[in-house]
Amino acid sequence: MLSFQGTGIGGGIAIGRARVLEVASRDVPRRRLEATEVVAEQARLAQAIDRVKAELTGLAASLPEGAPTEAAALLEVHAMILDDLAFSGAAREVIAEHLWNAEWAMSAQAGHLAAQFEALDDAYLRERGRDVQQVADRVMRALAGMGGRLADGNEPAIFVAEDISPADMLTMRSALGFAIDLGGATSHTAILARSMNVPAVLGLESVRSQVQDDDWLILDGDAGVLIVAPDAAVLADYRLRQVAGERELAQLQRLAGLATVTRDGHPISLQVNIERPDEALEAAESGAAGVGLFRSEFLFMNRRELPSEDEQFEAYRQVVRAMRGRLVTIRTIDVGADKALESAASVSFPAAVATNPALGRRAIRYSLAQPQVFLAQLRAILRVSAIGPVRLLVPMIAHHHEVDSLLRLLAQARGQLRAAGHPFDPALPVGAMIEVPAAALCASYFARRLDFLSIGTNDLIQYALAIDRSDHEVASLYDPFHPAVLRLVAGTIRAARKANRPVSVCGEMAGDWQATALLLGMGLTEFSMHPASLLRVKREILQADIGWLAPKVARIVAGDDPVRAAAARKRLVKGQPQVASTPTAI
Ligand code: PEP
Ligand code: MG
């Protein structure tokens, strides 16, 4: 029995046989050409590229209903790479100039491009190097006369690979899960696997070479663990866990129709986070009270041209319509750091990346530096406010002059819409994300100046603890329950409530059921999270007694001893009394 640790991207537990995928680019044939062979070799490469193009188009056209929403966009990215002159054009030139055969030319050029991406500091751009390599692997398969499919898509197995492109992943519809050597949580492969609702573990480093076809595997997508050839006792244990997980899900479903109210009668609003407009239908069906965070930047990514005001309006309208009268909070673009714009950093020529991109021109800083882009987005959001209840949320606010500029540009956008005769809600609520510690410490100021606050714990933790949230080497230090983080979150909630402004948490902490009692005790009544977390958090809310929790949480927040705080927090989760008034010391 062997056990490996990687980056888990969720999906529960899978148990099944291994299907180990070949690496297409291994043993690349290398041959010097005669000058007379160049034209024919270039034509052979062009044919292979056309064949891959046709495969990608075919895959895009045959996407089944219910295919993951990201699938089409990811296929488009690969088609774009294929068309890029720095990819296919340069490989043609290598054939002509260096007289190498098509396989060697393609492999050399892809390796060169991938190395450029991999040398970048930015985790998102580094992952784009994998996309280039994946497209090259497909071309190699075509040159070798191999079919486009890596594996029989109907085989129920756990696929083990050095890497799997999103396009290949789509052909593996009955996969029980994926165990992959490369990639991190922000890779396209991770995004697609997550939306296919199967367990996946990435970044396993050298697992592919240590697993044989038909080995028994246990894949735990939540813990990021792969176990090869488990012994009988471990297998039995995981089978029990798998059944328990399924049973828990079934039990949680029973809570779906219940009102979200604490045991002592406080109504709580549970909202969802979405990245793409077509996720709004799932959001509406999940029973959520609204969309607490629509990360609009995903409309701007993986494309060369920015979306126009009308295109944005259509996308926002799709969400507002799907939510049928429930509140939709649209966040203005939060690009920069791990979310790069393709238009600013093209596939072939990655833009220079700042030394500390998370501290650079991202989010509101980017928007204020591009006022025309920002104005178009503000107009699109204002226009959709005429159709249903909408709030506008601005990321990474930290300075008073950012609020001044935001309000000035909003006034300008309103004036432009009036002149153009477009209706909008003149009272559209405008809020700030509190995700920079400086903003959390001065939350009362932002609460006074704006209509609502939303706490982005993902970034707040990153900045408070100086931990890059996408760097796996320091991931173990990323602690949502650090006393400093708890103080920043509690202080922000307190300040908003004092100023009589709504406040929510829309970072991952809102979807962590182990943080629910703590947040309720701090006075939080609005939570926004991934739809998959809703019912677990709801279960905690239904069992909670805020009157019992509040004084205990106040004591946890006032302390600075992480060990005592952790023990007290565990008692909060376990120790809710059956009778609301039972006193328990923390
Ligand atoms: C956050 O920082 O908590 C947040 C919700 O925003 P994002 O994860 O998109 O940075
Ligand atoms: Mg953030």
Side-chain angles (χ1 to χ4, degrees), residues 398-414:
H399 299 274
H400 71 94
H401 49 82
E402 289 167 342
V403 179
D404 297 340
S405 305
L406 164 68
L407 297 179
R408 186 170 38 75
L409 285 165
L410 258 173
Q412 197 177 333
R414 287 194 188 98

Side-chain angles (χ1 to χ4, degrees), residues 273 275 293 295 297-298 331 334 338-339 362 395-396 433-435 454-463 469 478 505-509 528:
N273 297 348
E275 272 91 52
L293 174 66
R295 292 181 162 103
E297 58 272 14
F298 283 84
R331 179 174 76 180
D334 181 9
D338 60 339
K339 288 179 280 191
R362 57 171 293 203
M396 287 276 292
M433 281 200 71
I434 301 297
E435 49 187 348
S454 186
I455 307 174
T457 47
N458 306 341
D459 278 314
L460 189 60
I461 297 165
Q462 141 162 292
Y463 295 127
R469 63 193 260 198
Y478 186 91
V505 171
C506 64
E508 294 299 306
M509 201 170 176
S528 190

